[in-house]
């Protein structure tokens, strides 16, 4: 498995060797703005039109957030998009498969207009069938905020 750090390709350690010191450095993506249009489109896809997500006027007056916030599942799903900045494409014939999460915590709301970025720390890599199962501690930072939006243990299976 290969990953990108600052747009430079690096090879992940093999499952037999565990996690190397080089791979322990976090992978950090660029900032991405979460605007109301993205929140509204996600609300349409998942049919969750709760006012705290889609009604800026009402959310400003009636919620504790001072405006609309992104759905937690929207922020979680953006891990895939952002990971493409730091993970290289799998080798020809291989595929990366979202294997799931061992833990997900939504720690702080992402307000409409805020910018987020993802951090990935490789914590484990093991052989799984003919592929490699990597576990990442994934964190979604909110620009200018002390608490991250989410923390998750993300499992990614790369087939050979």
């Amino acid at each position: 498995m290969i990953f990108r750090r600052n747009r430079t390709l690096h090879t992940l350690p093999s499952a037999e060797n565990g996690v190397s010191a080089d791979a322990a450095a976090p992978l950090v993506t660029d900032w991405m703005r979460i605007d109301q249009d993205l929140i509204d489109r996600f609300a349409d896809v998942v049919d969750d039109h709760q006012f705290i997500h889609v009604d800026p006027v009402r959310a400003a007056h009636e919620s504790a957030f001072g405006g609309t916030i992104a759905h937690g599942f929207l922020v979680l799903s953006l891990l895939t998009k952002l990971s493409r900045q730091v993970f290289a494409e799998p080798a020809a014939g291989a595929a990366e498969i979202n294997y799931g999460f061992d833990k997900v915590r939504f720690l702080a709301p992402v307000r409409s207009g805020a910018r987020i970025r993802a951090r990935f720390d490789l914590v484990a890599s093991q052989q799984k069938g003919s592929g490699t199962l990597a576990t990442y501690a994934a964190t979604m930072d909110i620009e200018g905020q002390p608490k991250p939006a989410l923390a998750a243990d993300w499992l990614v299976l790369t087939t050979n």
Side-chain angles (χ1 to χ4, degrees):
M1 178 185 273
I2 319 175
F3 66 92
R4 273 189 194 119
R5 181 179 306 125
N6 299 328
R7 308 285 193 272
T8 304
L9 294 179
H10 296 270
T11 302
L12 281 180
S14 69
E16 300 81 39
N17 297 332
V19 178
S20 72
D22 180 56
L27 306 172
V28 181
T29 69
D30 295 333
W31 292 103
M32 174 186 176
R33 185 162 311 281
I34 305 300
D35 61 21
Q36 191 61 49
D37 180 61
L38 178 61
I39 295 169
D40 291 343
R41 288 184 291 135
F42 188 82
D44 289 342
V45 168
V46 299
D47 196 22
D48 180 355
H49 296 93
Q50 190 177 169
F51 80 95
I52 62 172
H53 303 302
V54 299
D55 189 336
V57 174
R58 185 174 174 200
H61 291 97
E62 296 181 29
S63 77
F65 307 114
T68 54
I69 60 169
H71 303 73
F73 285 132
L74 167 58
V75 176
L76 180 68
S77 69
L78 289 171
L79 287 174
T80 300
K81 174 184 175 62
L82 292 173
S83 73
R84 289 186 188 122
Q85 293 179 16
V86 292
F87 295 3
E89 289 293 317
E96 282 185 345
I97 300 168
N98 180 358
Y99 198 75
F101 292 88
D102 280 342
K103 181 175 81 172
V104 177
R105 296 292 181 265
F106 300 105
L107 303 170
V110 176
R111 291 177 174 83
S112 178
R115 292 190 337 154
I116 61 172
R117 72 175 176 195
R119 282 184 290 129
F120 302 97
D121 290 286
L122 179 66
V123 294
S125 178
Q126 63 185 5
Q127 197 68 34
K128 177 102 174 137
S130 64
T132 302
L133 181 63
T135 302
Y136 295 93
T139 306
M140 195 71 80
D141 296 320
I142 308 168
E143 188 175 41
Q145 299 298 314
K147 283 176 97 173
L150 72 83
D153 293 337
W154 187 21
L155 288 76
V156 178
L157 178 65
T158 302
T159 64
N160 296 328

Coordinates of all heavy atoms in Angstrom, one line a residue, residues 14-82:
S14 N 4.9 -3.3 5.3 CA 4.2 -4.5 5.0 C 3.6 -5.0 6.3 O 4.0 -4.7 7.4 CB 5.2 -5.6 4.4 OG 6.1 -6.0 5.5
A15 N 2.6 -5.9 6.1 CA 1.9 -6.4 7.3 C 2.8 -7.2 8.2 O 2.6 -7.2 9.4 CB 0.7 -7.3 6.8
E16 N 3.8 -7.8 7.6 CA 4.7 -8.6 8.4 C 5.6 -7.7 9.3 O 6.1 -8.2 10.3 CB 5.6 -9.5 7.5 CG 4.9 -10.5 6.6 CD 4.3 -9.8 5.4 OE1 5.0 -8.9 4.8 OE2 3.2 -10.1 5.0
N17 N 5.9 -6.5 8.8 CA 6.8 -5.7 9.6 C 6.2 -4.7 10.5 O 6.8 -4.0 11.3 CB 7.7 -4.8 8.6 CG 8.5 -5.7 7.7 OD1 8.9 -6.8 8.1 ND2 8.8 -5.3 6.5
G18 N 4.9 -4.7 10.6 CA 4.2 -3.7 11.5 C 4.3 -2.3 10.9 O 4.4 -2.1 9.8
V19 N 4.2 -1.3 11.8 CA 4.2 0.1 11.4 C 5.5 0.6 11.7 O 6.1 0.6 12.8 CB 3.1 0.8 12.3 CG1 3.1 2.3 11.9 CG2 1.7 0.2 12.1
S20 N 6.1 1.2 10.6 CA 7.5 1.8 10.7 C 7.4 3.2 11.3 O 6.3 3.8 11.4 CB 8.1 1.9 9.4 OG 7.5 2.9 8.6
A21 N 8.5 3.7 11.8 CA 8.5 5.1 12.3 C 8.1 6.1 11.3 O 7.5 7.1 11.6 CB 10.0 5.4 12.8
D22 N 8.5 5.9 10.0 CA 8.2 6.9 9.0 C 6.7 6.9 8.8 O 6.1 8.0 8.6 CB 8.9 6.5 7.6 CG 8.5 7.4 6.5 OD1 8.8 8.7 6.7 OD2 8.0 7.0 5.5
A23 N 6.0 5.8 8.8 CA 4.6 5.7 8.6 C 3.8 6.3 9.7 O 2.6 6.6 9.6 CB 4.1 4.3 8.3
A24 N 4.5 6.4 10.9 CA 3.8 6.9 12.1 C 3.5 8.4 12.0 O 2.7 9.0 12.7 CB 4.6 6.6 13.3
A25 N 4.2 9.1 11.1 CA 3.9 10.6 10.9 C 2.5 10.8 10.4 O 2.1 10.1 9.5 CB 5.0 11.2 10.0
P26 N 1.7 11.7 10.9 CA 0.4 11.9 10.4 C 0.4 12.5 9.0 O 1.3 13.2 8.6 CB -0.2 12.9 11.4 CG 0.9 13.6 12.0 CD 2.1 12.6 12.0
L27 N -0.7 12.1 8.3 CA -0.9 12.6 6.9 C -2.0 13.7 7.1 O -3.0 13.4 7.7 CB -1.4 11.5 6.0 CG -0.5 10.3 5.9 CD1 -1.2 9.2 5.2 CD2 0.8 10.6 5.3
V28 N -1.7 14.9 6.6 CA -2.6 16.0 6.8 C -3.1 16.5 5.4 O -2.2 16.8 4.6 CB -2.0 17.1 7.6 CG1 -2.9 18.3 7.9 CG2 -1.5 16.5 9.0
T29 N -4.4 16.7 5.3 CA -4.9 17.2 4.0 C -5.0 18.8 4.0 O -4.7 19.4 5.0 CB -6.3 16.7 3.8 OG1 -7.2 17.3 4.7 CG2 -6.4 15.2 3.9
D30 N -5.4 19.3 2.8 CA -5.7 20.7 2.7 C -7.0 21.0 3.4 O -7.8 20.1 3.7 CB -5.8 21.1 1.2 CG -4.5 20.9 0.5 OD1 -3.4 21.0 1.1 OD2 -4.5 20.7 -0.7
W31 N -7.2 22.3 3.6 CA -8.5 22.7 4.2 C -9.6 22.7 3.1 O -9.3 22.9 2.0 CB -8.4 24.2 4.7 CG -7.5 24.3 5.9 CD1 -6.2 24.8 6.0 CD2 -7.8 23.9 7.3 NE1 -5.7 24.7 7.2 CE2 -6.7 24.2 8.1 CE3 -8.9 23.4 7.9 CZ2 -6.7 24.0 9.4 CZ3 -8.9 23.1 9.3 CH2 -7.8 23.4 10.0
M32 N -10.8 22.4 3.6 CA -12.0 22.3 2.7 C -13.1 23.1 3.4 O -13.4 22.9 4.5 CB -12.4 20.9 2.5 CG -13.7 20.7 1.7 SD -14.2 19.0 1.7 CE -15.7 19.2 0.8
R33 N -13.7 24.0 2.6 CA -14.9 24.8 3.1 C -16.2 23.9 3.1 O -16.5 23.3 2.1 CB -15.0 26.1 2.4 CG -16.1 27.0 3.0 CD -16.1 28.4 2.6 NE -14.8 29.0 2.7 CZ -14.2 29.5 3.8 NH1 -14.8 29.4 4.9 NH2 -13.0 30.1 3.7
I34 N -16.9 24.0 4.1 CA -18.2 23.3 4.2 C -19.3 24.4 4.1 O -19.5 25.2 5.1 CB -18.4 22.6 5.5 CG1 -17.3 21.6 5.8 CG2 -19.8 21.9 5.6 CD1 -17.2 20.5 4.7
D35 N -19.8 24.6 2.9 CA -20.8 25.7 2.7 C -22.2 25.1 2.8 O -22.5 23.9 2.8 CB -20.5 26.4 1.4 CG -20.7 25.5 0.2 OD1 -21.3 24.5 0.2 OD2 -20.1 25.9 -0.9
Q36 N -23.2 26.1 2.8 CA -24.6 25.7 3.0 C -25.1 24.8 1.8 O -25.9 23.9 2.0 CB -25.5 26.9 3.1 CG -26.9 26.6 3.6 CD -26.9 25.9 4.9 OE1 -26.3 26.3 5.9 NE2 -27.7 24.8 5.0
D37 N -24.6 25.1 0.6 CA -25.0 24.3 -0.6 C -24.6 22.9 -0.4 O -25.4 22.0 -0.7 CB -24.4 24.9 -1.9 CG -24.8 24.1 -3.1 OD1 -26.0 24.0 -3.4 OD2 -23.9 23.5 -3.7
L38 N -23.4 22.6 0.1 CA -23.0 21.2 0.3 C -23.9 20.6 1.4 O -24.4 19.4 1.2 CB -21.5 21.1 0.8 CG -21.0 19.8 1.1 CD1 -21.0 18.8 -0.1 CD2 -19.5 19.9 1.6
I39 N -24.2 21.3 2.5 CA -25.0 20.8 3.5 C -26.4 20.5 3.0 O -27.0 19.4 3.3 CB -25.1 21.8 4.7 CG1 -23.7 21.9 5.4 CG2 -26.1 21.4 5.7 CD1 -23.6 23.0 6.4
D40 N -27.0 21.4 2.2 CA -28.3 21.2 1.6 C -28.4 20.0 0.7 O -29.3 19.2 0.7 CB -28.8 22.4 0.9 CG -29.0 23.6 1.8 OD1 -29.2 23.4 3.0 OD2 -29.1 24.7 1.2
R41 N -27.3 19.8 -0.1 CA -27.3 18.7 -1.0 C -27.2 17.3 -0.3 O -27.9 16.4 -0.6 CB -26.2 18.8 -2.0 CG -26.4 19.9 -3.1 CD -25.3 20.0 -4.1 NE -24.1 20.5 -3.5 CZ -22.9 20.0 -3.8 NH1 -22.7 18.9 -4.6 NH2 -21.8 20.5 -3.2
F42 N -26.4 17.3 0.8 CA -26.3 16.1 1.6 C -27.7 15.9 2.3 O -28.1 14.7 2.4 CB -25.2 16.3 2.7 CG -25.0 15.0 3.5 CD1 -24.2 14.0 2.9 CD2 -25.5 14.8 4.7 CE1 -23.9 12.8 3.6 CE2 -25.3 13.6 5.4 CZ -24.5 12.7 4.9
A43 N -28.3 16.9 2.8 CA -29.7 16.7 3.4 C -30.6 16.1 2.4 O -31.5 15.2 2.8 CB -30.2 18.1 3.9
D44 N -30.6 16.5 1.2 CA -31.5 15.9 0.2 C -31.1 14.4 0.0 O -32.1 13.6 -0.2 CB -31.3 16.6 -1.2 CG -32.0 18.0 -1.2 OD1 -32.8 18.3 -0.3 OD2 -31.6 18.8 -2.0
V45 N -29.9 14.1 -0.1 CA -29.5 12.7 -0.3 C -29.9 11.8 0.8 O -30.5 10.7 0.6 CB -27.9 12.5 -0.5 CG1 -27.5 11.1 -0.5 CG2 -27.5 13.2 -1.8
V46 N -29.8 12.2 2.1 CA -30.1 11.3 3.2 C -31.5 11.6 3.8 O -31.9 11.0 4.7 CB -29.0 11.4 4.3 CG1 -27.7 10.9 3.8 CG2 -28.9 12.8 4.9
D47 N -32.2 12.6 3.2 CA -33.5 13.0 3.6 C -33.6 13.4 5.1 O -34.4 13.0 5.8 CB -34.5 11.9 3.3 CG -36.0 12.4 3.4 OD1 -36.2 13.6 3.2 OD2 -36.9 11.5 3.6
D48 N -32.6 14.2 5.5 CA -32.5 14.7 6.8 C -32.5 16.3 6.7 O -31.5 16.9 6.5 CB -31.3 14.3 7.5 CG -31.2 14.8 9.0 OD1 -32.0 15.7 9.4 OD2 -30.2 14.4 9.7
H49 N -33.7 16.8 6.8 CA -33.9 18.3 6.6 C -34.2 19.0 7.9 O -34.9 20.0 8.0 CB -35.0 18.6 5.6 CG -34.7 18.0 4.2 ND1 -35.0 16.8 3.8 CD2 -34.0 18.6 3.2 CE1 -34.6 16.6 2.6 NE2 -33.9 17.7 2.2
Q50 N -33.6 18.5 9.0 CA -33.7 19.1 10.3 C -33.3 20.6 10.2 O -32.2 20.9 9.6 CB -32.9 18.3 11.4 CG -33.2 18.8 12.8 CD -32.4 17.9 13.8 OE1 -32.4 18.3 14.9 NE2 -31.8 16.8 13.4
F51 N -34.0 21.5 10.9 CA -33.7 22.9 10.7 C -32.3 23.3 11.1 O -31.7 24.3 10.5 CB -34.7 23.8 11.4 CG -34.5 23.9 12.9 CD1 -33.8 25.0 13.4 CD2 -34.9 22.9 13.8 CE1 -33.5 25.1 14.8 CE2 -34.7 23.1 15.2 CZ -34.0 24.2 15.7
I52 N -31.6 22.6 12.0 CA -30.3 23.0 12.4 C -29.3 22.8 11.2 O -28.2 23.3 11.3 CB -29.8 22.2 13.6 CG1 -29.7 20.7 13.3 CG2 -30.6 22.5 14.8 CD1 -29.1 19.9 14.5
H53 N -29.7 22.1 10.2 CA -28.9 21.9 9.0 C -29.3 22.7 7.8 O -28.4 23.2 7.1 CB -28.9 20.4 8.6 CG -28.5 19.4 9.6 ND1 -27.3 19.4 10.2 CD2 -29.2 18.4 10.2 CE1 -27.2 18.5 11.1 NE2 -28.4 17.8 11.1
V54 N -30.6 23.0 7.6 CA -31.0 23.5 6.3 C -31.7 24.9 6.4 O -32.0 25.5 5.4 CB -31.9 22.5 5.6 CG1 -31.1 21.3 5.2 CG2 -33.2 22.2 6.3
D55 N -32.0 25.4 7.6 CA -32.7 26.7 7.8 C -31.8 27.7 8.5 O -31.9 27.7 9.8 CB -34.0 26.4 8.5 CG -34.9 27.7 8.5 OD1 -34.4 28.8 8.4 OD2 -36.1 27.5 8.6
P56 N -31.0 28.4 7.8 CA -30.0 29.4 8.5 C -30.7 30.4 9.4 O -30.2 30.7 10.5 CB -29.3 30.1 7.3 CG -29.5 29.1 6.2 CD -30.8 28.4 6.4
V57 N -31.9 30.9 9.0 CA -32.5 31.9 9.9 C -33.0 31.3 11.2 O -32.8 31.8 12.3 CB -33.7 32.6 9.1 CG1 -34.5 33.5 10.0 CG2 -33.1 33.3 7.9
R58 N -33.8 30.2 11.0 CA -34.3 29.5 12.2 C -33.2 29.0 13.1 O -33.2 29.1 14.3 CB -35.2 28.4 11.8 CG -35.9 27.7 13.0 CD -36.9 26.7 12.5 NE -37.4 26.0 13.7 CZ -38.0 24.8 13.6 NH1 -38.2 24.2 12.5 NH2 -38.4 24.2 14.7
A59 N -32.1 28.4 12.5 CA -31.0 27.9 13.3 C -30.3 29.0 14.0 O -29.8 28.8 15.2 CB -30.0 27.1 12.4
A60 N -30.2 30.2 13.4 CA -29.6 31.3 14.1 C -30.3 31.7 15.3 O -29.7 32.1 16.3 CB -29.4 32.5 13.1
H61 N -31.7 31.6 15.3 CA -32.5 32.1 16.4 C -32.9 31.0 17.4 O -33.1 31.3 18.6 CB -33.8 32.7 15.8 CG -33.5 34.0 15.1 ND1 -33.4 34.1 13.7 CD2 -33.3 35.3 15.5 CE1 -33.1 35.3 13.4 NE2 -33.1 36.1 14.5
E62 N -33.0 29.8 16.9 CA -33.5 28.7 17.8 C -32.5 27.7 18.2 O -32.9 26.8 19.1 CB -34.7 28.0 17.1 CG -35.9 29.0 16.9 CD -37.1 28.2 16.2 OE1 -37.2 27.0 16.4 OE2 -37.8 28.9 15.4
S63 N -31.3 27.7 17.7 CA -30.4 26.6 18.1 C -29.2 27.2 18.9 O -29.0 28.4 18.9 CB -29.8 25.9 16.9 OG -28.8 26.7 16.2
A64 N -28.5 26.3 19.6 CA -27.4 26.8 20.4 C -26.2 27.0 19.5 O -25.1 27.4 20.0 CB -27.1 25.7 21.4
F65 N -26.3 26.7 18.2 CA -25.1 26.8 17.3 C -25.0 28.1 16.6 O -23.9 28.4 16.0 CB -25.2 25.7 16.2 CG -25.5 24.3 16.8 CD1 -26.6 23.7 16.6 CD2 -24.5 23.7 17.6 CE1 -26.8 22.4 17.1 CE2 -24.7 22.5 18.1 CZ -25.9 21.8 17.9
G66 N -26.0 29.0 16.7 CA -25.9 30.3 16.1 C -26.0 30.3 14.5 O -25.7 31.3 13.9
G67 N -26.4 29.2 14.0 CA -26.5 29.1 12.5 C -26.6 27.6 12.2 O -26.6 26.7 13.1
T68 N -26.6 27.3 10.9 CA -26.7 25.9 10.5 C -25.3 25.2 10.7 O -24.3 25.8 10.7 CB -27.1 25.8 9.1 OG1 -26.2 26.5 8.2 CG2 -28.5 26.2 8.9
I69 N -25.4 23.9 10.9 CA -24.3 23.0 11.1 C -24.4 21.8 10.1 O -25.4 21.4 9.7 CB -24.1 22.5 12.5 CG1 -25.3 21.7 12.9 CG2 -23.9 23.6 13.5 CD1 -25.2 20.9 14.2
A70 N -23.2 21.3 9.7 CA -23.2 20.1 8.9 C -23.6 18.9 9.6 O -23.5 18.8 10.8 CB -21.7 19.9 8.4
H71 N -24.2 18.0 8.9 CA -24.6 16.7 9.5 C -23.3 16.0 9.9 O -22.3 16.0 9.2 CB -25.3 15.8 8.4 CG -26.5 16.4 7.8 ND1 -26.4 17.4 6.9 CD2 -27.8 16.1 8.0 CE1 -27.7 17.7 6.5 NE2 -28.5 16.9 7.2
G72 N -23.3 15.2 11.0 CA -22.1 14.5 11.4 C -21.7 13.5 10.3 O -20.5 13.3 10.1
F73 N -22.7 12.8 9.7 CA -22.4 11.8 8.7 C -21.8 12.5 7.4 O -21.1 11.8 6.7 CB -23.6 11.0 8.3 CG -24.0 9.9 9.4 CD1 -25.3 9.8 9.8 CD2 -23.0 9.1 9.9 CE1 -25.6 8.9 10.8 CE2 -23.3 8.2 10.9 CZ -24.6 8.0 11.3
L74 N -22.1 13.7 7.2 CA -21.5 14.4 6.0 C -20.0 14.6 6.3 O -19.2 14.3 5.5 CB -22.1 15.8 5.8 CG -21.4 16.8 4.9 CD1 -21.2 16.2 3.5 CD2 -22.1 18.1 4.8
V75 N -19.7 15.1 7.5 CA -18.3 15.2 7.9 C -17.6 13.9 7.9 O -16.5 13.8 7.3 CB -18.2 15.9 9.3 CG1 -16.8 16.0 9.8 CG2 -18.9 17.3 9.3
L76 N -18.2 12.9 8.4 CA -17.6 11.5 8.4 C -17.3 11.1 6.9 O -16.2 10.6 6.6 CB -18.5 10.5 9.1 CG -18.0 9.1 9.2 CD1 -16.7 9.0 10.1 CD2 -19.1 8.2 9.7
S77 N -18.3 11.2 6.1 CA -18.2 10.8 4.7 C -17.1 11.5 3.9 O -16.5 11.0 3.0 CB -19.5 10.9 3.9 OG -19.8 12.2 3.7
L78 N -16.7 12.7 4.3 CA -15.7 13.5 3.7 C -14.3 12.9 3.9 O -13.3 13.3 3.2 CB -15.8 15.0 4.0 CG -17.0 15.7 3.4 CD1 -17.1 17.1 4.0 CD2 -16.9 15.7 1.9
L79 N -14.2 12.0 4.9 CA -12.9 11.4 5.0 C -12.4 10.7 3.7 O -11.2 10.8 3.4 CB -12.9 10.3 6.1 CG -13.0 10.8 7.6 CD1 -13.3 9.6 8.5 CD2 -11.8 11.6 8.0
T80 N -13.3 10.1 3.0 CA -12.9 9.5 1.7 C -12.4 10.5 0.7 O -11.3 10.3 0.2 CB -14.1 8.7 1.1 OG1 -14.6 7.7 2.0 CG2 -13.8 8.1 -0.2
K81 N -13.1 11.6 0.5 CA -12.7 12.6 -0.4 C -11.3 13.2 0.0 O -10.4 13.3 -0.8 CB -13.7 13.8 -0.4 CG -13.3 15.0 -1.3 CD -14.4 16.1 -1.2 CE -13.9 17.3 -1.9 NZ -13.7 17.2 -3.3
L82 N -11.2 13.5 1.3 CA -9.9 14.1 1.7 C -8.8 13.1 1.7 O -7.6 13.5 1.4 CB -10.1 14.8 3.1 CG -11.1 16.0 3.1 CD1 -11.4 16.4 4.5 CD2 -10.5 17.1 2.3

